[in-house]
Amino acid sequence: MGDRNRPTLDAVIFCSLCGAAAPSADAAAPLDWMVEADPRHPELGQRQYCPACARQHLRSIEAKLDAEYW
């Protein structure tokens, strides 16, 4: 039997920019993390960003949004 307190590799979320691991053992990104999925490029899947990277790269992330969001 596995230890319930230790996350498996499948449950660990990593930042797509800096590689930081999420502090949660859940399979979903923590609430303060940003999840990006580009419907124009579904082959890229979802990318997760830690709070520090999301703040640092906010302008470039917003620049990718369609005009309908503004």
Side-chain angles (χ1 to χ4, degrees):
M1 263 194 220
D3 185 359
R4 288 187 48 124
N5 295 327
R6 293 182 59 195
T8 63
L9 187 57
D10 295 337
V12 178
I13 303 292
F14 293 98
C15 177
S16 295
L17 291 174
C18 72
S24 174
D26 295 334
L31 292 178
D32 57 346
W33 281 50
M34 188 185 83
V35 177
E36 176 184 44
D38 189 346
R40 294 170 290 194
H41 300 285
E43 70 277 4
L44 297 176
Q46 289 186 343
R47 293 173 298 275
Q48 293 84 18
Y49 302 105
C50 69
C53 287
R55 280 190 301 275
Q56 184 177 1
H57 300 283
L58 183 63
R59 291 192 190 273
S60 65
I61 293 167
E62 287 177 341
K64 296 176 188 175
L65 293 175
D66 290 334
E68 67 189 38
Y69 291 102
W70 305 106

